[in-house]
Amino acid sequence: MSSLNVDPLDGWAENFSYDYYRKLLRALRTNYEVRTLSEYPDCRSNGERAAFMRHDIDVCIDRAVEMAKLEHEFGVQSTYMVIPNTPLYDVANERAHLCEIAELGHEIGLHCAVDWGAGSDREAEETGESGLSHAERKQIEAARRQLESIGIGPITSLSFHQPVDRVLAGPSTIAGMVNAYSEALMSAYISDSAGRWREGEPIERITGRDTTDVMQVLTHPVWWAAEHEPPTERFLTVIESFDALNERVYDELVSVGPNHDGWNDQLSARSLELSG
């Protein structure tokens, strides 16, 4: 999820049901050609009015499969960004699910968790045009190899997990992958990060008069289900399948949760309750 400076209590969170998502897809198809991120260079070269649907899979790959099926019904192909080294799922164990998403016509991309600022020597501290240090670039390349090693790929698109400000609105490609946080793809961008559409009701933004020729729509499958449920309640249910007493798991759940005041306390209380 993005680390953009936004009050997590701001924004729109009235409906995370699949019925509402169907309406969102209809609005996108009416106003844009919906493309995968890796298609961005071709779309720009021919002047196509395009929307890029991206899903950052921070938690629930099974929920991602459900969204992929729903999009397939609408003839929509989108990009599902996968973290190879998260404590919340194992990409090798989830290979069948990822293959199912790909077989439905969707793209699998790299959602890269970078240890920002890693390395203390002078070489690691030097940054290039992308805003990345040499050490950070090596992490990205290693993560791509890890994801491709399970037979998924080639990986040709990239989004950062919890990006820092210096990599936002960056270059169009990084390490040969289309960069979801490039300046062009961030020019008209809406997201349900932290369980809230911080830009307001998304369909209004998609159909508004101020729409541009390029739009990126980011969702996180963890918030979505057949019936709407407020983000905090949804997430407290989701964590029941995790060992939240594991420190690394707990820290990751905190970082990708609804992120409002008191969230840590609620997560801690639910973890203790589940532990008996």
Side-chain angles (χ1 to χ4, degrees):
M1 296 182 183
S2 172
S3 64
L4 295 171
N5 294 324
V6 177
D7 185 338
L9 294 180
D10 288 343
W12 188 89
E14 302 303 314
N15 198 333
F16 283 101
S17 70
Y18 290 151
D19 281 344
Y20 180 83
Y21 191 65
R22 290 183 177 94
K23 294 177 183 178
L24 187 152
L25 291 175
R26 291 189 189 101
L28 276 176
R29 289 201 62 188
T30 299
N31 290 274
Y32 295 93
E33 295 295 328
V34 185
R35 302 299 188 193
T36 63
L37 282 172
S38 64
E39 293 178 293
Y40 172 75
D42 291 339
C43 293
R44 297 322 298 149
S45 65
N46 63 27
E48 184 176 274
R49 181 177 168 84
F52 300 89
M53 176 66 77
R54 163 184 147 214
H55 309 280
D56 287 353
I57 310 178
D58 293 335
V59 185
C60 301
I61 290 185
D62 55 341
R63 295 272 179 89
V65 173
E66 293 304 310
M67 295 190 81
K69 291 177 180 177
L70 194 158
E71 289 172 340
H72 182 69
E73 294 174 8
F74 279 77
V76 168
Q77 295 179 331
S78 62
T79 302
Y80 286 80
M81 315 301 281
V82 179
I83 309 175
N85 53 349
T86 176
L88 301 186
Y89 56 81
D90 184 303
V91 290
N93 291 342
E94 297 288 352
R95 184 180 183 280
H97 278 147
L98 296 177
C99 287
E100 184 175 2
I101 291 172
E103 288 166 1
L104 290 168
H106 305 296
E107 175 185 20
I108 302 297
L110 173 63
H111 193 35
C112 193
V114 176
D115 182 10
W116 302 112
S120 58
D121 58 24
R122 180 62 184 169
E123 181 183 11
E125 292 172 359
E126 293 177 357
T127 57
E129 187 178 341
S130 65
L132 295 164
S133 71
H134 296 297
E136 290 162 351
R137 280 182 168 273
K138 289 179 181 177
Q139 291 178 58
I140 293 167
E141 291 164 357
R144 176 171 59 181
R145 290 194 297 270
Q146 182 180 351
L147 186 54
E148 290 179 337
S149 71
I150 65 170
I152 299 294
I155 302 300
T156 55
S157 61
L158 164 73
S159 72
F160 292 115
H161 183 52
Q162 300 171 347
V164 292
D165 288 345
R166 63 181 159 85
V167 299
L168 299 176
S172 59
T173 62
I174 292 176
M177 295 176 282
V178 171
N179 175 22
Y181 286 105
S182 68
E183 184 175 6
L185 284 168
M186 292 292 287
S187 61
Y189 169 82
I190 60 175
S191 167
D192 69 355
S193 294
R196 289 182 178 271
W197 296 91
R198 57 180 173 267
E199 302 84 4
E201 202 273 333
I203 293 177
E204 290 182 3
R205 290 300 305 273
I206 291 166
T207 60
R209 294 181 180 179
D210 61 344
T211 54
T212 63
D213 287 342
V214 174
M215 173 170 279
Q216 182 179 181
V217 180
L218 167 62
T219 78
H220 299 77
V222 66
W223 307 124
W224 297 85
E227 302 294 333
H228 171 70
E229 192 173 7
T232 300
E233 295 178 22
R234 173 87 71 209
F235 209 84
L236 288 173
T237 300
V238 166
I239 68 167
E240 294 180 6
S241 60
F242 294 97
D243 177 14
L245 295 181
N246 177 298
E247 183 176 357
R248 187 166 174 242
V249 170
Y250 180 87
D251 289 346
E252 185 68 10
L253 289 171
V254 168
S255 71
V256 301
N259 191 30
H260 62 76
D261 291 342
W263 163 243
N264 288 24
D265 292 339
Q266 292 187 63
L267 177 58
S268 178
R270 179 59 65 89
S271 300
L272 291 172
E273 178 184 326
L274 293 173
S275 69

